[in-house]
Amino acid sequence: MENRGQKRMEDVEELPADKRACNSQDSRTSTSSGSSAQSHSQEEEANGASSGHENTEDAEMDTSSSDSPSSSHSDDGEQVKEEDSDYGTCYSDDDDDDDDHGEDPRHQELQDVQYGRSSEDQQKLTSLVSRLSEEVDPSLQLIGLTELCEVLSFCTEDSFSTVMADTLSRVLVKLANHESNADIMLLAIRAITYLSDVYPRSVAFLVKHETLPALCQRLLTIEYLDVAEQCLQALEKISKDDPVACLNAGAIKAVLSYIDFFSTSLQRVAVSTVVNICREISSESPSPFMDAVPMLCNLLQYEDRQLVETVAICLTKIADQASQSPEMLNQLCSHQLIHQSIHLLNLNGRTTLSQPVYNGLIGLLRKLSSGSTLAFRTLYELNIGYRLKEIISTYDISHSVSSTHPNNSCSNQVHEVLKLVIELLPSSPVEDNQLALEKESFLVNQPDLLQQFGADMLPVLIQVLKSGANGYVSYGCLSAIHKLTCLSKSADFIGLLKNANILSVLAGILSRKDHHVVVVALQIAEVLLEKYRDAFLNSFIREGVFFAIEALLNSDRGQQNPVSADVSQKPVPEEVVKCSLCQSFERSSSSSSQNCKIEKDSVYILATRIKERFFGPEVFDSQKGLTDVLQNLKHLSAALNDLMNVPVDARALHDEKFFSIWNQIIERLNGKESVSTFEFTESGVVKALTNYLSNGLHQRNFSKGDPECDSLPFVGNRFEVFTRLLWSDGEATPSLLIKKLQNSLSSSENYPIVLSQFLKQRNSFATVPNGRSTSYPILRVRFVKAEGETCLRDYSKDLVTVDPLCYLDAVDHHMWPKVHLKPLDSVEAKDQAMECQSSQLQSTSISCQGEGSSHMEIDGPNASQLQGSQEEDQEQLTDSGEENTSEENNTSSSEEEDALAEEDPLPRLLFRLEGLELDRSLTVYQAILLHKLKSASETTNDSKLSGTHAITYERAPQLAESHETQIPLGSIMDNDEYHPFLSYLFAHRLGLRHIGTNAPAYDILFLLKSLEAMNRYLFHLICHERINAFGEGRLDNLDDLRVEVRPVPYAEFVSSKFTEKLEQQLRDSFALSTCGLPPWFNDLMGSCPFLFSFEVKSKYFRLAAFGSQKVHHHPQHLSSSSSHGEGRQATGSLPRKKFLASRENILESAAKMMELHGNQKVVIEVEYSEEVGTGLGPTLEFYTLVSRAFQNPDLGMWRSDRSSFAGKPKEDSGFLVAPSGLFPRPWSDTSAAFPDVLQRFVLLGTVVAKALHDGRVLDIAFSKAFYKLILGQELSSFDIHFIDPELCKTLVELQVLARRKKVFSESQSDSGAAKCDLSFRGTKIEDLCLEFTLPGYSDYVLTPYSANDMVNLDNLEEYIKAIVNATVYNGIQKQVGAFRSGFNKVFPIEHLEIFNEEEVETLLCGERDLFNMNEVLDHIKFDHGYTSSSPPVQHLLEIVHEFDKEQQRAFLQFVTGCPRLPPGGLASLNPKLTIVRKHGSDSSETDLPSVMTCANYLKLPPYSSKENMKEKLIYAITEGQGSFHLS
C-alpha cells in the first residue's frame, strides 16, 4: 500500500499505514483459499446481476481493500516489476500479438500440457469417486472430500464426462444428506458448488438425484450456519442453469426465509438466486413468486445498494407477469410494495440506486396502477404527485429521453415519469371497462386528491415544455395536461392554469411543425374554452393563441401532413417515427398496429372547429383583435422609430426623448395589467429598441471608411444612457426585461435539431474534395451547370460522393479544374488521365469495402431501394472518367490549380441549391442542412440528406467588394472611450443570414447580447457616466464617484430551451463523431454563448477542442483509464505516458514534461523520484505543486506587495496570495530578467492547457482581468479595479480632474477654468509630488517622460494614460502573448472564448465551495461495514463541516491528491468519494485513517469518540503529505 508522509522515520508506525495511489496491478486478490475464491466469485456474479452499470474501478477498490498477507505480497512483487519499466512508455489496450498460434510450437506444447493435466485430473476424480462411494468411515470420507474439493477448484471442463458427472452427483448428494457429521455435509455441498461451476452440464444430474430438496431443507431448518451459507452458494450456481427446477423445489422460500442470518455478501447471493429463477416466471403461474413478495418487500428497506437493486429487479419481473391479474396486483400492493418503492424514489435514492433500477421502480408503479384500483388509490393517497414533481424538477432535463431510443424506458427517466402521470389520469372509460369506471369514480369522490396532484404536476410539466424538450417529452407532457384538464372540475384549477401561463405555452406549441404536439395543443385549447370560456376567452387573444390558430389555418400545416421538399426522399421513415410517437405513451404498443393516429386533416378540422365555435370573425381583424396594451406599445415603438430621424449628434435631444419613451415602456411592463409574451413580441418594441441603440448597425457589416462608423461614439453614448436608466432602481428592471426577452425568444425561435437516428455509420468513400475514406455517411451530389452559364463545362452527367464535412471552398478547389474551359494538352493525355484515375478509384473503393460497407445504410422499409440506387450511383461514379481526375495523377493540373489558388484567393464558383446561394462559410453538410430544414420540423433527422442533391454552379462575380472582410473594430475606433464595450458587442456577431430566416429572433438575440454586454461592462459604463458628470460640473464631490450597482446574475441570461436543444444535439452520434452540428449552434455559441449553461458549454468545448470522444466526460473523469482522444474510436482511449518528477525541482520537471509531451495527444501520469506511488493521486498533486511553484514571488511574474506573501519564510519565500488574484507584473523590454519571465509565462500557458486537456485541476487564483486577457478581450482603465482597487480609485479621481479641466478649457476662458476646483481632495496636483514612474515599480519609467519629470495639471492626462498603458497594455502585452503561445502548443486558446471569466476559473481550478453539507450524503459511497447512518460516518461529516476552509482543502488533498473539487463539485468527483471501515489491529483507537488517492477511497477506523477521530484525522492529514509509498 502506498502511504504518504515518511518525514519521521522513527514514528513511521504511527503514520497513515496505507495511503496510496493505485497502479495498474492493485486489483489482484488472493486466491489461496478455494472457499474464499468462490465467495469472491459469488459476490462478483451477484454484483453483475444487479448492478452491471458499476465501473470496474469500484470492484477493484472493493477487493483490494483486504489486508491479507497474500495481497500485500502481490503488491510488493508487482512493484518490483513496475520499477523495471521505463518512464514515458505508452500503455495501450490494443497491443498486437505477433505470434501465430496456429503455427507456434509453444502453442502446441501448451495444448499438450493442458491435455495431460486434464487426463491426470480425470484419473484423480475417478479414484476419488470410487473411494467416496465405497468408504463408510467418516474420517476417511472427510479426507476424500477435502481432496475432491481441491481437485475441483483447479480442474477444467475437459476433465469430466457425463458418466463421471452422473456418478459424482449421486455420491455427493448422498453425502450432503449425512445427518451426523456437519463437516461432511459442508464439504459435500461445497463440492456440489464447484461441480456446478466447472461443469454446468452436471446440474441436470444433480437435479435428477434430488440435490435441490436436500439444499432447501438445510436452509429451512438451519442447524449449522456454515452449511447453510454453502447451500446458498450452491443454489445460486444451480439456478443459473435450471431455474425451473429450483422454482419447483421451493428454492425461493428457502433462500429468503432466514436471509437476515447471513452476511451482506451472502444476502446478495440469495437474492441473485431469486433473480435467476425469475427469468423463467410464467404469467400463467406466478403464484410461487407471490409467496416471496413479503420477504422481498422487507429487503427493500435494507441499506446495501446491490441488495436493494437486485430485489427491485425481482419485484419488477414479478409485477410484469402479474400485470394481467388485478387480484395478484392487489396482493402485491397489500405487502407495502408501493410504500417501499416510493420511499426509494426520494432524492437520495437517485444517487444510491443505478439509473436503470431507479427507472424500473417508476415503471413498476405504473404497471401496478395500470391494473389495480388499490394501487391507483394508494398512489394518490400517498401524494405521489409531490414525489414525481420532485423527480422531474431536480432531474437534469438535458438527460431525458434519448432521441435515438424513444421507447427505451431503461434509459429514460422523464419518459417513465410521464407514463406514470398519464396512467394516473384515466381517460373517459368505456362502459364495459370496470377498472376505468372504478378509477374515475374514485377521483370524482376525492376531488381534493386530484386537485393536489394537478397543483404538483402542472407547473413542472409546463416548465419542461418551456425548456425545449424534444418531441417525445413534449407529446407526453401535453397528453398529461390534456387529461388533467379534462378530469378537473374544480374552480381552483383555473388559477393553476393561469399561474402556469398555459396559454403562452400553447401559442408557442402551435407554431411548431410536428402535427402530434399541435393536435394535442389544440385539444387542450378546445377543452379550456368548453369548460372555462369566461375565464380564458380574453387571455386567448392576449397570449396570441387565436392568432396562432389563424396562422395554422392559413398555412399548409393546417391542410395536410408535411411532405419533404426533397422529391427523392421516401416518406416511410418519417411516418415510422410519427407512429412510434403515437405509441410511445400507450400501455402496450402493438407492433402490428403502426398506423399513425393523427389523421390527415386533424389540425385543420380542430382549428376550424375552435374558430367557429368560440370566436367571431371580428377577433381576427388586424385592428379590432388588438388589446389596449398591444396598441399602446405599438405607439411607443413608432415613437422610438421616429427618434431615428433626429440628427445623431443631438445628444441632449436624444437623451430627453429616449428617457420619456423608455419610462413609458417600463411603466407599461411594470403595470398592474401584465404584458403577455405575445403582446411584447408583436408590439415591435424589441426591434425599435435594438435599431435605435445600435443606430441600425446591428444589421450591417461595416468597415473603415463607411459613414456608419462615424456614429459609433454616439452608439456608445446611447448604451451608456440606457444602462443608467435601466439600473437606476437596481437590478429588478433589467431582470424583468431579460425575462421578457427570454420568453419571447422561446416562443419565436425555430432553430432545428438534426438527429441521425436513421443512419448507421459505415466506412464510406468521398471523391470530393480529394478522395478520402470516411467513417461517416457521405453525400451524393449532382453538380449541374446553371442556365445561361457559357464559360464553364457541363458536369451534370456524373454523380459524385462528397465529404459532408468539407467546406465549399474545398469543393470549389476540386471542381474548378474540371469545369473551366481551358482544355488539356491533348486527347491522349486526357484519356490517359481518365483511365488512371478510374483504376485508382476502383482499387480504393475495394479496399474500403474490405473494412466495411462503403455505403450509407438507412433503416426503414425503403432502405433497400435507397441502397440499390446508391450502388448504381457508385458504379456510375467508378466508370466515369472526368470526375475521377485527382491531383495525384495529374501533376500539371494540380500545380496549375495551386498556383491559381495562390494568385486568386477569391472564390471562382458560386453554388446554389434550388435557386438559393449556399453559404461558403459552412461545410457542405451544414449548408445543405440549413437550406433543407427551413420547411422541416424543429426536431428532425438527417435522412433528408440521404437522397441525391442537385447543386448548380456558375462563375462567381470577381468583385472584391462582394467578398469584403470585416475590419476589426479596433482599427475603426482608435482611442475611443467606448471601445472595449463596443468591441465586445460587435465582435462575433450573429450571422446576418439569420435575419432572413428568423428576423424576430435575430433582434431579440442582439438585444439580449446588448444587455449581457451592458451587464458585463456595468462598472465601466457607470464609471464613465460619473466621470462625464463630474467633468461637466454636475457632481462636485469625489466620493460621489463610487459605483454601487449590482449586475444581474449571469444565470438569468441562460436559455433553458437553447441549452436543452444543444444537449439533445450533442447526444447524437453523427454530430459527435463528425463534429457536424447544425450551423446555428456554432453561430450562437460564437456570438451569444451566454445563452447556454456552463455544463453544456463544457461539452461543446471538449468536442471542439479535443474531438468527439471527450464530450460526455467531465474533465475530472478523464483519468488515465477513461480518457479518449481526438479521432479515436469510442472503444479506444488516449495512450498514457509516465513521467518521473522531482519534488525538489518541480518547475524544472514541469518544463521537461511539457517539452516531451506537451503537444502530444497523450495523458500524463506522474511518479516522483524515490517514491513508488503512481496514478491519479500523484498526478493531481503534481499539478497542485506546480501551481504553487508558479506563485513564488521570486519568479517576478506577478504584481505584488510584501503584505501579500504567505508560507513559511524559514523554508522558502512563500507564495503570493493576491486579494484580487494574480496579474502579470509590468516589465520593461530593457530589463535583463525579462526574457526569463517570458519563458516562465510560456511554460505556464502550456501547463494550463495540458491540465485542461488531461482533465486536471489547478490550484492557482488568477485575477478576473487576467482571465479576460486569456479570453482575448481588451482591458481598459476601469479593469484595474479587478487588479488593484485602490489604484483604480485613485486613477478615476485623477481622471475626473483632468476631464473637468478639459471641459472648462474648451467651454470657458482660462479665468473660468482657474475658478473651478481642480484640486485632489484639497491638494494641488503639483503638491502631490508625483513622478513619471509606475506606482509600486520605481524602475519602470513611463515614457516618453523621464523619471525626474513631475506631474502637474497640464500633463496629468498623459500621466494617467501612461499608467494605464503600463498596467494593462504595453507593460504586460508580451507576457500575455507568451502565455497564449504556450497554451496554443496544446490546443488553440480560442476555444475558451465561449466562457466568461468565472466559468474559465471553474474550468481550470474547479469549484470554490468545497463542501455543501446538505448534499454530501448524496455523493458519497459507503461500503465494507459503513452506511450513511453509522456513528463513525456521522462523526466524520460533522468534523469536516466544522473544519475551516484551509482544513477542508487539506482534507481534500489528503483523500484525492488535490485541494480543490472538479467543476460540478463533489457530485463530479470520479471515482466517487468512498468511505469504508478500516479493519486493522485490535485497538482501532490508535490506528490512523488511510486513503487510496487513485480511487478517492478513505479507510476510516471505527473510533469510539468524535474527539479521538478528529485528532487522528488532523494528524494523518498534516503528516501524511508529501510522498506516496507502499507499506
Side-chain angles (χ1 to χ4, degrees), residues 1081-1246:
F1081 282 113
N1082 298 324
D1083 285 337
L1084 285 183
M1085 192 60 77
S1087 60
C1088 305
F1090 55 85
L1091 292 172
F1092 302 94
S1093 69
F1094 171 70
E1095 291 75 17
V1096 75
K1097 281 196 289 188
S1098 298
K1099 293 180 181 180
Y1100 179 91
F1101 158 72
R1102 304 197 75 80
L1103 172 66
F1106 308 131
S1108 61
Q1109 304 306 329
K1110 285 192 177 183
V1111 175
H1112 290 298
H1113 292 285
H1114 201 281
Q1116 185 71 10
H1117 295 182
L1118 296 172
S1119 62
S1120 57
S1121 62
S1122 64
S1123 56
H1124 298 289
E1126 181 178 3
R1128 300 176 72 89
Q1129 297 298 322
T1131 56
S1133 62
L1134 285 178
R1136 290 172 285 156
K1137 292 283 188 179
K1138 284 187 179 180
F1139 181 82
L1140 184 64
S1142 169
R1143 290 182 182 272
E1144 290 73 23
N1145 302 293
I1146 200 71
L1147 280 185
E1148 289 78 359
S1149 295
K1152 186 64 175 177
M1153 176 196 289
M1154 295 303 121
E1155 179 185 349
L1156 292 175
H1157 309 304
N1159 59 353
Q1160 297 180 359
K1161 300 299 182 183
V1162 297
V1163 174
I1164 304 175
E1165 288 185 353
V1166 174
E1167 293 179 343
Y1168 296 104
S1169 301
E1170 300 181 0
E1171 298 178 28
V1172 294
T1174 183
L1176 184 60
T1179 306
L1180 290 177
E1181 186 183 57
F1182 172 80
Y1183 280 98
T1184 299
L1185 295 176
V1186 171
S1187 300
R1188 292 176 180 172
F1190 272 118
Q1191 299 174 64
N1192 189 333
D1194 296 336
L1195 297 181
M1197 298 176 66
W1198 313 108
R1199 294 177 64 96
S1200 64
D1201 57 66
R1202 306 313 296 178
S1203 64
S1204 63
F1205 296 164
K1208 300 177 181 179
K1210 292 183 180 180
E1211 296 181 6
D1212 53 48
S1213 59
F1215 57 92
L1216 291 175
V1217 183
S1220 300
L1222 300 175
F1223 189 81
R1225 176 196 189 278
W1227 279 95
S1228 172
D1229 293 349
T1230 59
S1231 174
F1234 188 46
D1236 293 336
V1237 173
L1238 290 182
Q1239 288 303 314
R1240 294 181 190 120
F1241 272 102
V1242 172
L1243 175 60
L1244 176 62
T1246 310

Side-chain angles (χ1 to χ4, degrees), residues 232 251-260 270-271 274 292 295-296 299:
L232 279 179
I252 294 180
K253 181 179 179 181
V255 300
L256 294 179
S257 294
Y258 299 101
I259 193 171
D260 290 337
V271 178
V274 182
M295 292 177 280
L296 291 173
L299 290 174

Side-chain angles (χ1 to χ4, degrees), residues 469-490:
N470 62 38
Y472 292 96
V473 174
S474 298
Y475 183 74
C477 289
L478 289 170
S479 299
I481 294 173
H482 179 233
K483 286 192 167 188
L484 191 59
T485 309
C486 293
L487 288 170
S488 177
K489 297 179 173 60
S490 170

Side-chain angles (χ1 to χ4, degrees), residues 990-1141:
L990 188 63
L992 294 179
R993 58 175 170 266
H994 289 267
I995 298 178
T997 58
N998 199 343
Y1002 182 89
D1003 293 328
I1004 295 170
L1005 286 169
F1006 185 83
L1007 188 52
L1008 272 172
K1009 182 176 176 64
S1010 302
L1011 288 172
E1012 194 270 338
M1014 292 158 58
N1015 193 64
R1016 180 187 291 261
Y1017 287 88
L1018 185 60
F1019 180 80
H1020 304 58
L1021 295 172
I1022 297 297
C1023 273
H1024 191 268
E1025 191 272 334
R1026 299 280 174 86
I1027 290 173
N1028 287 336
F1030 193 95
E1032 295 168 4
R1034 289 183 278 118
L1035 294 177
D1036 292 320
N1037 192 338
L1038 289 177
D1039 292 331
D1040 294 336
L1041 296 174
R1042 292 185 60 187
V1043 175
E1044 296 181 351
V1045 292
R1046 296 177 57 186
V1048 175
Y1050 190 80
E1052 294 191 17
F1053 289 97
V1054 176
S1055 167
S1056 60
K1057 188 172 183 180
F1058 278 122
T1059 296
E1060 166 59 12
K1061 280 193 168 187
L1062 183 53
E1063 279 280 9
Q1064 292 181 42
Q1065 191 65 66
L1066 288 177
R1067 288 195 298 270
D1068 179 66
S1069 58
F1070 181 78
L1072 287 186
S1073 61
T1074 64
C1075 305
L1077 298 175
W1080 69 269
F1081 282 113
N1082 298 324
D1083 285 337
L1084 285 183
M1085 192 60 77
S1087 60
C1088 305
F1090 55 85
L1091 292 172
F1092 302 94
S1093 69
F1094 171 70
E1095 291 75 17
V1096 75
K1097 281 196 289 188
S1098 298
K1099 293 180 181 180
Y1100 179 91
F1101 158 72
R1102 304 197 75 80
L1103 172 66
F1106 308 131
S1108 61
Q1109 304 306 329
K1110 285 192 177 183
V1111 175
H1112 290 298
H1113 292 285
H1114 201 281
Q1116 185 71 10
H1117 295 182
L1118 296 172
S1119 62
S1120 57
S1121 62
S1122 64
S1123 56
H1124 298 289
E1126 181 178 3
R1128 300 176 72 89
Q1129 297 298 322
T1131 56
S1133 62
L1134 285 178
R1136 290 172 285 156
K1137 292 283 188 179
K1138 284 187 179 180
F1139 181 82
L1140 184 64

